[in-house]
Amino acid sequence: FPYTTLFRSVYANDKWQSDRSTATIIVGTSNGGGASKNYEKADFVCGASDCDTTIESAIAALPAGGGVVVLLEGLYVIDSNGIDITTSNVSLIGTGKATILQRGYDTASFDGVITATSVSNIVIADLAVDGVKATYTGTQNSGIYFDSSVTYSTVRNTYVHDNDGAGIHSASSNKNTILSNIVNSNESSGIYFESTSDTIVSNNSLKDRKSVV
């Protein structure tokens, strides 16, 4: 799927450059064959592990009003405790299926490769989440998780697959939008709603044991 035009990013003057009309931070990975092109010129760079910590550092570096964290193409191993978004007005945007967030850890309680908690105006878009369900088993292992009091937020144009739990899990979160995602091969369910209302679900492709619960 194509990425959206929420941001513009080009490589120029020996540096990745973005449309700075919105506060934007660029993250790349140096992970071997899954490395981003010209990753060394990104604002933040992770290696073959602990990319969740790097991405959280990029989010923390945004101004108080929020902004955009752009993930260049590449394989990002998420093996600490997942990417936690706890600040409102943050967009986490990839370049399409070539931006891969791969689970590298197990969890004892519900947790996503990306988890947003008690925030509003979050956008997660244009990236892939691989749950590696053959290794990381249990319904607690979700792909994208809205964990309590997430509002006015959007999951758009993502490819969420092979999670042993839900691909996209919304708990006690309302007034959100789940739009144009490909949600495949998730063991528990594709999209799982728990105490959730006023949520728009549109134009998603689901091929899971249970599609929407």
Side-chain angles (χ1 to χ4, degrees):
F1 49 82
Y3 61 85
T4 64
T5 55
L6 189 148
F7 73 94
R8 297 176 182 175
S9 181
V10 297
Y11 187 75
N13 300 321
D14 202 35
K15 178 76 175 177
W16 281 106
Q17 308 287 335
S18 294
D19 176 3
R20 299 293 175 170
S21 59
T22 299
T24 305
I25 291 176
I26 297 176
V27 179
T29 175
S30 62
N31 186 9
S36 310
K37 183 178 181 180
N38 297 317
Y39 63 82
E40 69 278 4
K41 303 302 181 181
D43 299 310
F44 287 80
V45 179
C46 66
S49 64
D50 205 25
C51 286
D52 32 352
T53 300
T54 301
I55 293 167
E56 288 175 356
S57 294
I59 293 171
L62 291 168
V68 180
V69 172
V70 176
L71 303 179
L72 299 175
E73 84 291 342
L75 178 61
Y76 296 81
V77 177
I78 309 302
D79 60 356
S80 179
N81 60 357
I83 301 165
D84 293 314
I85 302 175
T86 57
T87 303
S88 295
N89 306 312
V90 169
S91 295
L92 187 63
I93 310 293
T95 62
K97 284 185 178 179
T99 297
I100 303 166
L101 306 182
Q102 184 181 82
R103 180 180 284 274
Y105 73 105
D106 215 338
T107 179
S109 58
F110 282 118
D111 196 26
V113 173
I114 305 171
T115 299
T117 305
S118 300
V119 288
S120 62
N121 297 312
I122 300 300
V123 176
I124 300 168
D126 306 315
L127 51 80
V129 176
D130 178 1
V132 196
K133 67 181 180 182
T135 302
Y136 303 106
T137 60
T139 58
Q140 69 276 10
N141 290 318
S142 300
I144 298 172
Y145 183 29
F146 281 1
D147 176 22
S148 181
S149 302
V150 178
T151 58
Y152 301 104
S153 296
T154 300
V155 179
R156 181 183 65 237
N157 294 336
T158 66
Y159 174 42
V160 186
H161 64 98
D162 290 288
N163 295 276
D164 206 47
I168 300 171
H169 181 180
S170 175
S172 302
S173 297
N174 306 304
K175 298 181 174 63
N176 298 307
T177 300
I178 301 173
L179 175 67
S180 299
N181 301 284
I182 300 172
V183 187
N184 287 350
S185 301
N186 299 288
E187 190 64 23
S188 175
S189 56
I191 300 174
Y192 178 56
F193 294 123
E194 177 185 357
S195 301
T196 291
S197 63
D198 297 328
T199 294
I200 297 170
V201 181
S202 179
N203 198 38
N204 298 282
S205 173
L206 297 98
K207 295 181 181 179
D208 300 280
R209 191 170 68 85
K210 297 179 182 178
S211 292
V212 180
V213 180

